[in-house]
Amino acid sequence: MTGRVSGKLGILAGGGTLPRAVADAAASSGRQVHIVAFEGFCEPATVAGYAHDWIGLAKVGRLFAALRAAACVEIVLAGPVRRPGLAQLRPDWTGVSTLLRLLRVWGGDASLLSRVLALLEAQGFRAVGAHEILPDLLVAAKTYGASKPDEAARADIAVGLQAARALGARQRGQAVLVRGGAVIGEETRGGTSALLRQPGIAGAVLVKAAMPGQDRRVDLPTAGLATVEAAAAAGVIGIALEAGNALLLDRDAAVAAADRYGLFMVGA
């Protein structure tokens, strides 16, 4: 199942596999696609076979111009784009004025990205979420794969959902690790991959939830094959994603890997 056809789609592509999945889904539904690949975040394989531009994150004037030149109607921001230090941005002239406006309301990444979408809408583009283009990515309230959480793991999931939402409310992250009813790790700027590299987390459950009240068009929690492999390497026993508010990428491969490693994966 894919989203409705509604004009040419511009994909603002960050890292990971989500931008390519969105592009392929849109193209398969008959839409024209143009990818704006953010330098330092997007991978070359993401844009292969698609019309695209490579643009620095703060080159806002170039971004607007590229989307207009490609005659994009709708835009979607797909893939993680973490806020760099100001010294790394090197904005163009439009970027300078845009950054000054954003700095007045400088917050977490999700808040910042929501304001970026608002600026693009002010330019006449219509912003949509990745889940609107590819709704099958949304996690359902069910068990994926062969393994299921036991009673203790379910209790950890309940603790983790509350803790992840509280963490998100502080604009600090979307994921926590819970073991024995206690939170033993919280996501920080390094993301989920850094969280799963922490020592001493074997036996924990990874729980991811959306930030309360966040714009669902940006930065919904995600998991995929890489998440499963990192969790298994760390000795994590399962992954729980907030149903209806998280995305499961590379679903078939991720579930197959979870089964192979004996991890449970659930929408909760």
Side-chain angles (χ1 to χ4, degrees):
M1 179 180 179
T2 58
R4 57 181 172 78
V5 175
S6 184
K8 194 170 189 178
L9 180 68
I11 300 175
L12 310 187
T17 61
L18 180 58
R20 181 73 187 201
V22 171
D24 289 345
S28 70
S29 73
R31 298 189 70 168
Q32 291 182 297
V33 170
H34 188 89
I35 299 176
V36 174
F38 288 125
E39 295 171 352
F41 297 94
C42 186
E43 299 168 6
T46 297
V47 302
Y50 286 103
H52 65 275
D53 293 288
W54 287 95
I55 293 178
L57 188 60
K59 306 297 185 183
V60 181
R62 285 190 58 203
L63 171 62
F64 293 161
L67 292 170
R68 289 196 188 97
C72 294
V73 175
E74 287 188 337
I75 55 169
V76 58
L77 178 61
V81 179
R82 300 302 178 192
R83 187 177 64 216
L86 293 177
Q88 300 172 280
L89 287 174
R90 299 175 184 269
D92 58 17
W93 286 112
T94 305
V96 169
S97 61
T98 300
L99 287 170
L100 288 174
R101 277 179 282 167
L102 292 176
L103 282 168
R104 295 193 190 106
V105 288
W106 198 252
D109 290 321
S111 175
L112 178 65
L113 294 174
S114 293
R115 292 183 175 97
V116 169
L117 288 188
L119 290 171
L120 285 162
E121 288 188 312
Q123 295 292 316
F125 305 105
R126 185 166 59 250
V128 298
H131 63 286
E132 297 176 67
I133 306 299
L134 193 53
D136 285 349
L137 289 178
L138 274 176
V139 172
K142 68 176 188 179
T143 298
Y144 293 87
S147 299
K148 297 181 180 180
D150 59 19
E151 185 175 344
R154 289 190 180 279
D156 283 346
I157 291 169
V159 170
L161 285 172
Q162 288 188 341
R165 290 169 185 146
L167 183 69
R170 302 195 302 274
Q171 293 278 312
R172 291 184 55 193
Q174 299 173 316
V176 297
L177 290 165
V178 183
R179 184 176 60 205
V183 177
I184 64 169
E186 294 181 338
E187 185 181 48
T188 59
R189 296 282 304 155
T192 304
S193 58
L195 177 63
L196 291 171
R197 289 196 296 269
Q198 293 183 7
I201 62 174
V205 176
L206 173 67
V207 184
K208 302 192 75 170
M211 295 179 180
Q214 82 172 72
D215 187 336
R216 295 178 79 246
R217 297 173 301 174
V218 298
D219 204 29
L220 282 180
T222 62
L225 177 59
T227 312
V228 173
E229 291 179 337
V236 167
I237 63 172
I239 299 169
L241 306 171
E242 184 179 17
N245 276 322
L247 305 177
L248 180 54
L249 312 181
D250 313 311
R251 179 167 300 183
D252 291 344
V255 172
D259 287 346
R260 185 165 64 251
Y261 294 124
L263 275 70
F264 66 77
M265 183 179 296
V266 299

